[in-house]
Amino acid sequence: MRARIEYFFFAPFVLLAFTADARSQSIVASDRVVVSYPSKSITSFPILETAQRRGFFRRENLDVSAVYMRGGIDIKAVLTGDADFGTGSTTAVTAFVAGAPLRVVMSLNSYVDQALYAQPKYRTLAELKGQSIGSLNPGGLVDTLLRRVIVQNGLSPERDFILLNMGGTPERYAALKAGTLAASMLSAPHSLHAEKEGFTKIAATRDYVDVPGTALVAHADKIKKQPEMIKRFLRATLRAMSYIRENRADTMQMIGREFAMAPDIAALAYDKLVELLSVNGKVRVDGYQLLIDFARAAQKIERPISAAQLVDERLLDEVIRETGIKR
């Protein structure tokens, strides 16, 4: 009888201990994910920050760290396995054309938000001849688009300008404000600050070449080995994008805090972000074909390379079907 009493007394505690241990195991089982980004800009950072702050990653049992890595290094980290996803999609195109096993798995922005801003005394690109222009890593998105603008204006990137690898948008904007650059490529929200402060908008890259904006890039092997993790990450990202569209006030507050901007600029930045957001994450293959062709020309590769080899939307399509998101 005493043995039965002891059993009924201790059994609940054993059950509680087992449950606690199971919960502990569940926490330990969360997939740790690293996302690299080359610049803290309005195009991608608010999406990752929203997914983190609103618990969309946690809901998918993901422990996500967004890590700043200077342009070029971010995609190398994806290749070495130090990052699970990268957002430097154009740098990834350059690496892909050179033979790197990278894939674009989801679009974050439908188009590119980049423009060339100059000191107030300059009014045209021709007036900038011989001057220094802030760019990013050679072969990356910013540098590629800047060179297209220059060439389409009948000028030479190598002969007529001094193109400098200045790091991310905040660094380029700071150099422009300090007067150490004659001009610089900028994206929102820094471009919004530049306009308010009287810098000259020389050119918007979308007027010269319409290519897709920021996207998520993964290693081909990771897609094969961890498809469920990738699907969970894509699902959380899509939720964050929907939240941003539907929650203006909260998103504006987050943008204002993260980018240290006044409410009026935060409102403009929010509108720009919503304008940029991909509707459902689907990738513009034709736009990536343009980027691939640019990279082929730069690397002097004559054989054709299809963007269909770079874009892999199979997992995204599964997520869209499962969640009922409109295509």
Side-chain angles (χ1 to χ4, degrees), residues 20 68 82 95 97 124 129 146 201 251 259 290 315 322:
Y68 167 73
D82 294 307
V97 168
T124 67
K129 284 184 67 173
L146 173 58
K201 184 177 182 180
T251 306
F259 293 92
L290 275 176
L315 297 179
E322 293 164 3

Side-chain angles (χ1 to χ4, degrees), residues 24-305:
S24 174
Q25 290 297 322
S26 175
I27 293 172
V28 171
S30 295
D31 287 318
R32 299 192 66 180
V33 176
V34 174
V35 187
S36 65
Y37 63 93
S39 178
K40 186 177 178 179
S41 69
I42 203 71
T43 57
S44 59
F45 187 83
I47 301 172
L48 300 174
E49 181 68 9
T50 297
Q52 196 77 282
R53 287 176 58 244
R54 307 309 304 181
F56 299 139
F57 286 139
R58 287 195 303 275
R59 191 182 303 177
E60 298 293 342
N61 204 29
L62 299 174
D63 178 12
V64 177
S65 298
V67 181
Y68 167 73
M69 299 182 189
R70 190 181 178 92
I73 298 174
D74 58 323
I75 293 303
K76 288 180 182 177
V78 175
L79 288 170
T80 59
D82 294 307
D84 300 281
F85 299 96
T87 58
S89 46
T90 306
T91 305
V93 169
T94 301
F96 170 78
V97 168
L102 295 168
R103 301 292 183 268
V104 174
V105 296
M106 177 182 176
S107 172
L108 299 180
N109 307 134
S110 297
Y111 70 92
V112 173
D113 170 44
Q114 286 287 342
L116 178 62
Y117 284 84
Q119 299 292 341
K121 65 180 180 180
Y122 300 107
R123 310 307 298 178
T124 67
L125 187 62
E127 291 178 11
L128 284 167
K129 284 184 67 173
Q131 301 299 317
S132 58
I133 299 178
S135 183
L136 197 48
N137 58 300
L141 176 63
V142 174
D143 189 69
T144 297
L145 295 180
L146 173 58
R147 289 171 183 273
R148 295 298 298 180
V149 170
I150 292 172
V151 169
Q152 289 189 39
N153 275 278
L155 299 167
S156 168
E158 291 78 19
R159 291 193 308 270
D160 295 325
F161 304 95
I162 305 168
L163 304 188
L164 301 176
N165 181 355
M166 297 292 297
T169 308
E171 291 87 349
R172 297 196 305 275
Y173 174 61
L176 184 67
K177 281 191 68 174
T180 56
L181 290 174
S184 180
M185 293 290 282
L186 298 176
S187 60
H190 301 86
S191 57
L192 303 174
H193 283 298
E195 288 200 30
K196 187 175 182 180
E197 292 165 0
F199 292 97
T200 305
K201 184 177 182 180
I202 298 292
T205 60
R206 197 183 183 198
D207 294 336
Y208 292 83
V209 55
D210 188 11
V211 293
T214 307
L216 290 175
V217 178
H219 197 293
D221 288 345
K222 187 167 289 290
I223 296 173
K224 294 177 183 177
K225 295 175 182 177
Q226 294 182 278
E228 289 305 315
M229 181 277 287
I230 292 177
K231 284 177 63 176
R232 284 182 281 135
F233 188 90
L234 298 183
R235 190 157 45 237
T237 303
L238 286 170
R239 286 198 185 106
M241 293 161 72
S242 295
Y243 182 91
I244 287 170
R245 290 190 191 93
E246 297 165 6
N247 294 271
R248 179 185 178 90
D250 183 65
T251 306
M252 278 176 52
Q253 187 178 43
M254 180 268 290
I255 289 173
R257 183 183 64 251
E258 290 295 330
F259 293 92
M261 61 179 60
D264 60 331
I265 299 295
L268 293 173
Y270 173 82
D271 292 340
K272 174 61 69 174
L273 172 59
V274 171
E275 180 186 341
L276 287 168
L277 283 180
S278 172
V279 175
N280 54 12
K282 295 291 287 181
V283 179
R284 287 173 46 204
V285 180
D286 58 339
Y288 274 100
Q289 189 62 60
L290 275 176
L291 291 174
I292 285 175
D293 292 341
F294 294 160
R296 285 177 52 233
Q299 298 179 39
K300 296 180 173 55
I301 295 175
E302 295 184 2
R303 62 180 174 83
I305 300 175

